[in-house]
Amino acid sequence: MLNALLVMEARRRADVYPETVLERLADLVEWQSPPLTREELAADPGVLGEVEILLTGWGPPVLDEHLLSHAPRLRAVLVAAGSVRSITTPEFWAREIPIVSAASANAIPVAEFTLAQILLALKQFHRISREIKEQGRYPDEPQVAGAYGARVGLLGLGEIGRLVAAHLRNFDVEVVWSDPYADGGVSLDELFATCDVVSLHAPLLPQTEGLVNGALVETMRTGATLINTARGAVVDEPSVVEVLRARPDLTAVLDVTWPEPPPSGSPLYGLQNVVLTPHLAGAMGAERARMGELVLAEVGRLAAGQPFEHAVDPAQANLRA
Protein backbone atom coordinates (compact mmCIF):
# COMPACT_ATOMS: atom_id res chain seq x y z
CA MET A 1 0.00 0.00 0.00
CA LEU A 2 1.04 3.58 -0.60
CA ASN A 3 1.87 5.79 2.38
CA ALA A 4 -0.37 8.85 2.12
CA LEU A 5 -1.25 12.10 3.84
CA LEU A 6 -4.23 14.40 3.28
CA VAL A 7 -3.59 18.10 3.88
CA MET A 8 -6.21 20.77 3.17
CA GLU A 9 -8.53 23.21 4.91
CA ALA A 10 -11.01 21.53 7.22
CA ARG A 11 -14.19 23.35 6.20
CA ARG A 12 -14.35 21.93 2.67
CA ARG A 13 -12.71 18.58 3.35
CA ALA A 14 -15.94 16.61 3.69
CA ASP A 15 -17.23 18.01 0.39
CA VAL A 16 -14.07 17.21 -1.57
CA TYR A 17 -13.29 13.89 0.12
CA PRO A 18 -16.64 12.50 1.32
CA GLU A 19 -16.74 9.30 3.36
CA THR A 20 -17.43 7.19 0.27
CA VAL A 21 -14.19 8.44 -1.31
CA LEU A 22 -12.18 8.07 1.91
CA GLU A 23 -13.39 4.50 2.37
CA ARG A 24 -12.21 3.56 -1.11
CA LEU A 25 -8.91 5.36 -0.61
CA ALA A 26 -8.38 3.32 2.56
CA ASP A 27 -8.17 0.23 0.37
CA LEU A 28 -5.26 1.76 -1.55
CA VAL A 29 -3.27 3.79 0.97
CA GLU A 30 -1.87 3.67 4.47
CA TRP A 31 -2.65 6.99 6.15
CA GLN A 32 0.35 8.43 7.99
CA SER A 33 -1.85 10.56 10.23
CA PRO A 34 -5.40 11.88 10.39
CA PRO A 35 -6.10 14.68 7.87
CA LEU A 36 -4.20 17.88 8.60
CA THR A 37 -4.49 21.53 7.69
CA ARG A 38 -1.42 23.22 6.21
CA GLU A 39 -0.96 25.05 9.51
CA GLU A 40 -0.93 21.73 11.41
CA LEU A 41 1.53 20.31 8.88
CA ALA A 42 3.79 23.33 9.31
CA ALA A 43 3.83 22.69 13.05
CA ASP A 44 4.81 19.03 12.57
CA PRO A 45 6.52 18.55 9.18
CA GLY A 46 8.16 15.34 10.41
CA VAL A 47 4.91 13.50 9.59
CA LEU A 48 6.02 13.68 5.94
CA GLY A 49 8.97 11.37 6.54
CA GLU A 50 7.39 8.22 5.08
CA VAL A 51 4.78 9.89 2.85
CA GLU A 52 4.77 8.72 -0.77
CA ILE A 53 1.67 10.54 -1.98
CA LEU A 54 0.37 13.86 -0.76
CA LEU A 55 -3.35 14.52 -1.28
CA THR A 56 -4.74 18.01 -0.99
CA GLY A 57 -7.43 20.42 -2.19
CA TRP A 58 -8.41 23.89 -1.02
CA GLY A 59 -5.86 25.32 1.41
CA PRO A 60 -2.90 23.24 0.19
CA PRO A 61 0.65 23.50 1.49
CA VAL A 62 3.24 25.20 -0.72
CA LEU A 63 5.61 22.65 -2.22
CA ASP A 64 8.77 24.53 -1.35
CA GLU A 65 12.23 23.36 -0.38
CA HIS A 66 11.33 23.29 3.33
CA LEU A 67 8.39 20.94 2.80
CA LEU A 68 10.24 18.78 0.28
CA SER A 69 13.22 18.37 2.62
CA HIS A 70 10.89 16.60 5.06
CA ALA A 71 9.40 14.33 2.37
CA PRO A 72 12.29 12.29 0.94
CA ARG A 73 9.99 9.50 -0.28
CA LEU A 74 7.40 11.70 -1.99
CA ARG A 75 6.38 10.18 -5.33
CA ALA A 76 3.32 12.21 -6.32
CA VAL A 77 1.07 15.11 -5.32
CA LEU A 78 -2.64 14.98 -6.12
CA VAL A 79 -4.62 18.21 -5.92
CA ALA A 80 -8.42 18.05 -5.75
CA ALA A 81 -8.72 21.60 -7.10
CA GLY A 82 -7.87 23.49 -10.27
CA SER A 83 -4.67 25.48 -10.77
CA VAL A 84 -1.42 24.32 -9.17
CA ARG A 85 0.41 27.60 -9.86
CA SER A 86 0.14 28.91 -6.31
CA ILE A 87 1.64 25.83 -4.66
CA THR A 88 4.40 24.71 -7.05
CA THR A 89 7.92 26.13 -6.90
CA PRO A 90 11.08 25.75 -9.00
CA GLU A 91 12.41 23.40 -6.33
CA PHE A 92 9.36 21.18 -6.73
CA TRP A 93 9.56 21.04 -10.54
CA ALA A 94 13.30 20.32 -10.33
CA ARG A 95 12.54 17.08 -8.51
CA GLU A 96 10.33 15.90 -11.40
CA ILE A 97 7.62 14.73 -9.01
CA PRO A 98 4.32 14.34 -10.90
CA ILE A 99 1.44 16.52 -9.76
CA VAL A 100 -2.21 15.83 -10.60
CA SER A 101 -4.80 18.58 -10.95
CA ALA A 102 -8.56 18.05 -10.81
CA ALA A 103 -9.10 21.03 -13.13
CA SER A 104 -11.08 18.91 -15.57
CA ALA A 105 -13.56 17.99 -12.81
CA ASN A 106 -13.88 21.61 -11.70
CA ALA A 107 -14.41 22.65 -15.31
CA ILE A 108 -17.73 20.81 -15.47
CA PRO A 109 -19.81 23.09 -13.18
CA VAL A 110 -18.09 26.22 -14.53
CA ALA A 111 -19.03 25.25 -18.08
CA GLU A 112 -22.59 24.41 -17.02
CA PHE A 113 -22.98 27.78 -15.29
CA THR A 114 -21.53 29.57 -18.30
CA LEU A 115 -23.80 27.75 -20.74
CA ALA A 116 -26.84 28.75 -18.67
CA GLN A 117 -25.74 32.39 -18.63
CA ILE A 118 -25.04 32.42 -22.38
CA LEU A 119 -28.50 31.07 -23.22
CA LEU A 120 -30.15 33.55 -20.87
CA ALA A 121 -28.07 36.36 -22.38
CA LEU A 122 -29.11 35.47 -25.92
CA LYS A 123 -32.73 35.90 -24.81
CA GLN A 124 -31.77 39.22 -23.16
CA PHE A 125 -33.11 37.82 -19.91
CA HIS A 126 -31.17 40.11 -17.59
CA ARG A 127 -31.76 43.33 -19.53
CA ILE A 128 -35.46 42.79 -20.17
CA SER A 129 -36.24 41.66 -16.62
CA ARG A 130 -34.59 44.75 -15.13
CA GLU A 131 -36.33 47.04 -17.64
CA ILE A 132 -39.70 45.56 -16.71
CA LYS A 133 -39.07 46.39 -13.06
CA GLU A 134 -37.72 49.86 -13.82
CA GLN A 135 -40.60 50.80 -16.15
CA GLY A 136 -43.40 48.91 -14.41
CA ARG A 137 -44.61 47.38 -17.66
CA TYR A 138 -43.80 44.72 -20.24
CA PRO A 139 -42.08 45.81 -23.47
CA ASP A 140 -44.24 45.88 -26.59
CA GLU A 141 -41.80 44.00 -28.82
CA PRO A 142 -38.68 42.72 -27.02
CA GLN A 143 -35.56 42.80 -29.20
CA VAL A 144 -33.48 39.69 -28.58
CA ALA A 145 -30.73 37.86 -30.47
CA GLY A 146 -32.06 34.43 -29.53
CA ALA A 147 -30.15 31.19 -29.83
CA TYR A 148 -30.49 30.80 -33.59
CA GLY A 149 -27.62 32.10 -35.67
CA ALA A 150 -26.26 34.25 -32.85
CA ARG A 151 -22.51 34.65 -32.44
CA VAL A 152 -20.92 33.64 -29.14
CA GLY A 153 -17.30 34.54 -28.41
CA LEU A 154 -14.96 32.76 -26.01
CA LEU A 155 -11.85 34.53 -24.74
CA GLY A 156 -9.61 31.59 -23.92
CA LEU A 157 -9.92 28.04 -25.20
CA GLY A 158 -8.43 26.13 -22.32
CA GLU A 159 -10.13 23.30 -20.46
CA ILE A 160 -13.23 25.28 -19.52
CA GLY A 161 -13.45 27.18 -22.78
CA ARG A 162 -13.30 23.95 -24.79
CA LEU A 163 -16.03 22.41 -22.67
CA VAL A 164 -18.27 25.46 -23.13
CA ALA A 165 -17.66 25.27 -26.88
CA ALA A 166 -18.60 21.57 -26.84
CA HIS A 167 -21.88 22.34 -25.03
CA LEU A 168 -22.69 25.07 -27.53
CA ARG A 169 -22.45 22.62 -30.42
CA ASN A 170 -25.89 21.41 -29.33
CA PHE A 171 -27.36 24.79 -30.27
CA ASP A 172 -27.72 26.73 -33.51
CA VAL A 173 -25.14 29.36 -32.64
CA GLU A 174 -21.83 30.32 -34.18
CA VAL A 175 -18.94 29.93 -31.75
CA VAL A 176 -15.72 31.89 -32.23
CA TRP A 177 -12.72 32.25 -29.95
CA SER A 178 -9.62 34.28 -29.32
CA ASP A 179 -6.67 32.41 -27.87
CA PRO A 180 -3.00 32.67 -28.89
CA TYR A 181 -2.54 28.95 -28.18
CA ALA A 182 -5.51 27.70 -30.23
CA ASP A 183 -5.73 27.61 -34.00
CA GLY A 184 -8.63 29.06 -35.97
CA GLY A 185 -9.40 31.94 -33.65
CA VAL A 186 -10.25 35.57 -34.33
CA SER A 187 -8.66 38.75 -33.07
CA LEU A 188 -9.66 40.19 -29.72
CA ASP A 189 -11.11 43.21 -31.49
CA GLU A 190 -13.29 41.06 -33.73
CA LEU A 191 -14.43 38.92 -30.81
CA PHE A 192 -15.85 41.90 -28.93
CA ALA A 193 -17.17 43.83 -31.90
CA THR A 194 -19.09 40.98 -33.55
CA CYS A 195 -20.46 38.72 -30.81
CA ASP A 196 -23.79 38.85 -29.01
CA VAL A 197 -22.16 37.31 -25.94
CA VAL A 198 -18.49 37.26 -24.93
CA SER A 199 -17.50 34.81 -22.19
CA LEU A 200 -14.10 35.07 -20.50
CA HIS A 201 -12.04 31.94 -19.84
CA ALA A 202 -8.49 33.30 -19.93
CA PRO A 203 -6.02 32.55 -17.11
CA LEU A 204 -4.65 35.44 -15.09
CA LEU A 205 -1.14 36.02 -16.39
CA PRO A 206 0.93 39.21 -16.69
CA GLN A 207 -0.14 39.49 -20.32
CA THR A 208 -3.85 39.02 -19.53
CA GLU A 209 -4.15 41.32 -16.49
CA GLY A 210 -6.54 44.12 -17.44
CA LEU A 211 -6.81 42.71 -20.97
CA VAL A 212 -10.56 43.35 -21.18
CA ASN A 213 -10.82 47.11 -20.98
CA GLY A 214 -13.40 49.79 -21.62
CA ALA A 215 -12.27 50.35 -25.19
CA LEU A 216 -13.06 46.74 -26.06
CA VAL A 217 -16.38 46.68 -24.21
CA GLU A 218 -17.42 49.91 -25.88
CA THR A 219 -17.29 48.14 -29.27
CA MET A 220 -19.78 45.44 -28.21
CA ARG A 221 -23.06 45.11 -30.09
CA THR A 222 -26.21 46.75 -28.79
CA GLY A 223 -27.68 44.51 -26.10
CA ALA A 224 -24.55 42.35 -25.84
CA THR A 225 -23.51 40.54 -22.67
CA LEU A 226 -20.09 40.09 -21.08
CA ILE A 227 -19.67 37.04 -18.82
CA ASN A 228 -16.66 36.51 -16.55
CA THR A 229 -16.15 33.21 -14.76
CA ALA A 230 -12.36 33.30 -15.15
CA ARG A 231 -10.43 35.75 -12.97
CA GLY A 232 -11.58 39.20 -11.94
CA ALA A 233 -8.29 40.92 -12.73
CA VAL A 234 -8.54 39.93 -16.41
CA VAL A 235 -11.00 42.87 -16.56
CA ASP A 236 -9.80 46.45 -16.22
CA GLU A 237 -12.68 47.27 -13.91
CA PRO A 238 -12.51 51.11 -13.75
CA SER A 239 -12.61 51.59 -17.53
CA VAL A 240 -15.26 48.89 -18.03
CA VAL A 241 -17.45 50.43 -15.30
CA GLU A 242 -17.43 53.74 -17.16
CA VAL A 243 -18.66 52.05 -20.34
CA LEU A 244 -21.36 50.14 -18.46
CA ARG A 245 -22.57 53.41 -16.93
CA ALA A 246 -22.85 54.98 -20.38
CA ARG A 247 -24.30 51.90 -22.08
CA PRO A 248 -27.30 50.53 -20.11
CA ASP A 249 -28.06 48.27 -23.09
CA LEU A 250 -25.02 46.17 -22.18
CA THR A 251 -25.00 43.56 -19.42
CA ALA A 252 -22.05 42.24 -17.42
CA VAL A 253 -22.45 38.94 -15.55
CA LEU A 254 -19.53 38.85 -13.12
CA ASP A 255 -18.98 35.69 -11.12
CA VAL A 256 -15.48 36.92 -10.30
CA THR A 257 -14.20 40.43 -9.55
CA TRP A 258 -10.98 42.09 -8.43
CA PRO A 259 -10.78 42.37 -5.55
CA GLU A 260 -13.17 39.58 -4.63
CA PRO A 261 -15.63 40.39 -3.23
CA PRO A 262 -15.89 44.00 -4.39
CA PRO A 263 -15.18 46.40 -1.52
CA SER A 264 -17.94 48.33 0.16
CA GLY A 265 -18.93 51.26 -2.02
CA SER A 266 -17.81 49.62 -5.27
CA PRO A 267 -19.78 50.97 -8.25
CA LEU A 268 -20.45 47.37 -9.25
CA TYR A 269 -23.09 47.15 -6.50
CA GLY A 270 -25.04 50.08 -7.88
CA LEU A 271 -24.98 49.44 -11.61
CA GLN A 272 -28.29 47.96 -12.72
CA ASN A 273 -26.71 46.28 -15.75
CA VAL A 274 -24.19 44.34 -13.66
CA VAL A 275 -25.15 40.91 -12.31
CA LEU A 276 -22.90 39.83 -9.43
CA THR A 277 -22.59 36.26 -8.14
CA PRO A 278 -20.09 35.17 -5.44
CA HIS A 279 -17.87 32.77 -7.41
CA LEU A 280 -20.74 30.32 -7.86
CA ALA A 281 -19.57 28.85 -11.15
CA GLY A 282 -16.87 26.64 -9.67
CA ALA A 283 -17.59 23.44 -7.81
CA MET A 284 -19.89 24.03 -4.83
CA GLY A 285 -21.13 21.64 -2.14
CA ALA A 286 -21.62 18.13 -3.45
CA GLU A 287 -20.15 19.11 -6.84
CA ARG A 288 -16.73 19.16 -5.16
CA ALA A 289 -16.83 15.39 -4.73
CA ARG A 290 -16.08 15.07 -8.46
CA MET A 291 -12.58 16.32 -7.69
CA GLY A 292 -12.07 13.86 -4.87
CA GLU A 293 -13.26 11.05 -7.12
CA LEU A 294 -10.77 12.11 -9.78
CA VAL A 295 -7.97 11.95 -7.21
CA LEU A 296 -9.21 8.55 -6.08
CA ALA A 297 -9.07 7.23 -9.65
CA GLU A 298 -5.55 8.58 -10.08
CA VAL A 299 -4.39 6.93 -6.82
CA GLY A 300 -5.81 3.69 -8.19
CA ARG A 301 -3.76 4.10 -11.37
CA LEU A 302 -0.61 4.76 -9.36
CA ALA A 303 -1.23 1.71 -7.19
CA ALA A 304 -1.70 -0.41 -10.32
CA GLY A 305 1.49 0.89 -11.91
CA GLN A 306 -0.38 2.84 -14.57
CA PRO A 307 0.36 6.42 -15.71
CA PHE A 308 -1.70 9.31 -14.45
CA GLU A 309 -4.37 10.71 -16.76
CA HIS A 310 -4.47 14.19 -15.23
CA ALA A 311 -0.83 14.99 -14.50
CA VAL A 312 0.09 18.63 -15.10
CA ASP A 313 2.62 19.28 -17.85
CA PRO A 314 5.24 21.56 -16.26
CA ALA A 315 5.46 23.53 -19.50
CA GLN A 316 1.72 24.25 -19.32
CA ALA A 317 1.38 24.75 -15.56
CA ASN A 318 1.47 28.55 -15.70
CA LEU A 319 -1.19 28.69 -18.42
CA ARG A 320 -3.95 27.35 -16.19
CA ALA A 321 -6.34 29.82 -14.62
Side-chain angles (χ1 to χ4, degrees):
M1 297 182 78
L2 297 161
N3 293 332
L5 182 67
L6 172 57
V7 181
M8 68 172 291
E9 65 178 37
R11 69 189 177 107
R12 297 178 187 171
R13 189 186 297 146
D15 286 344
V16 178
Y17 294 99
E19 283 302 318
T20 53
V21 170
L22 291 177
E23 288 169 3
R24 291 155 67 192
L25 278 169
D27 294 330
L28 300 170
V29 306
E30 184 74 34
W31 296 113
Q32 297 305 286
S33 90
L36 302 175
T37 64
R38 62 185 169 197
E39 292 79 14
E40 291 168 337
L41 176 63
D44 183 20
V47 73
L48 290 165
E50 299 298 317
V51 170
E52 296 172 280
I53 60 172
L54 176 64
L55 278 60
T56 186
W58 274 272
V62 176
L63 303 170
D64 57 15
E65 184 60 37
H66 176 72
L67 181 146
L68 295 169
S69 68
H70 288 89
R73 299 186 61 191
L74 188 64
R75 294 174 53 190
V77 178
L78 299 99
V79 183
S83 174
V84 301
R85 280 199 297 146
S86 64
I87 67 169
T88 51
T89 64
E91 294 79 13
F92 172 78
W93 293 118
R95 298 195 181 205
E96 298 185 344
I97 297 170
I99 184 168
V100 164
S101 165
S104 62
N106 189 53
I108 294 171
V110 179
E112 291 171 345
F113 179 94
T114 302
L115 174 65
Q117 295 302 323
I118 289 171
L119 295 177
L120 287 172
L122 290 174
K123 281 290 191 180
Q124 294 285 291
F125 168 84
H126 300 103
R127 179 181 65 82
I128 291 173
S129 63
R130 69 174 175 263
E131 287 179 355
I132 287 172
K133 287 191 173 183
E134 290 169 359
Q135 299 170 12
R137 61 179 179 83
Y138 280 26
D140 295 330
E141 186 66 32
Q143 298 298 307
V144 301
Y148 183 77
R151 201 174 211 222
V152 176
L154 306 177
L155 176 53
L157 207 63
E159 195 136 33
I160 296 170
R162 290 196 305 272
L163 189 52
V164 173
H167 286 325
L168 288 169
R169 292 191 193 106
N170 295 310
F171 301 89
D172 293 320
V173 299
E174 179 189 6
V175 180
V176 295
W177 57 88
S178 182
D179 188 320
Y181 302 99
D183 294 334
V186 302
S187 70
L188 198 59
D189 289 343
E190 180 180 343
L191 193 82
F192 275 81
T194 67
C195 291
D196 300 289
V197 180
V198 174
S199 185
L200 309 186
H201 302 287
L204 180 58
L205 304 170
Q207 59 268 38
T208 62
E209 185 172 353
L211 179 64
V212 177
N213 57 32
L216 278 174
V217 175
E218 175 61 39
T219 68
M220 295 181 78
R221 289 178 169 179
T222 300
T225 298
L226 175 69
I227 300 170
N228 190 8
T229 58
R231 290 291 185 266
V234 171
V235 174
D236 177 37
E237 183 182 300
S239 65
V240 169
V241 162
E242 289 307 308
V243 174
L244 293 172
R245 278 199 181 108
R247 296 252 335 249
D249 64 290
L250 298 178
T251 299
V253 178
L254 305 179
D255 190 52
V256 290
T257 60
W258 184 255
E260 189 175 310
S264 177
S266 167
L268 294 178
Y269 290 121
L271 284 170
Q272 295 303 304
N273 54 343
V274 172
V275 178
L276 294 173
T277 53
H279 216 132
L280 291 179
M284 304 289 288
E287 292 175 325
R288 295 174 180 147
R290 277 197 188 103
M291 293 183 281
E293 289 166 357
L294 182 148
V295 165
L296 169 64
E298 292 284 64
V299 171
R301 291 184 186 98
L302 181 63
Q306 300 170 351
F308 289 131
E309 288 188 0
H310 299 279
V312 176
D313 179 353
Q316 299 294 313
N318 287 331
L319 301 180
R320 290 178 180 266

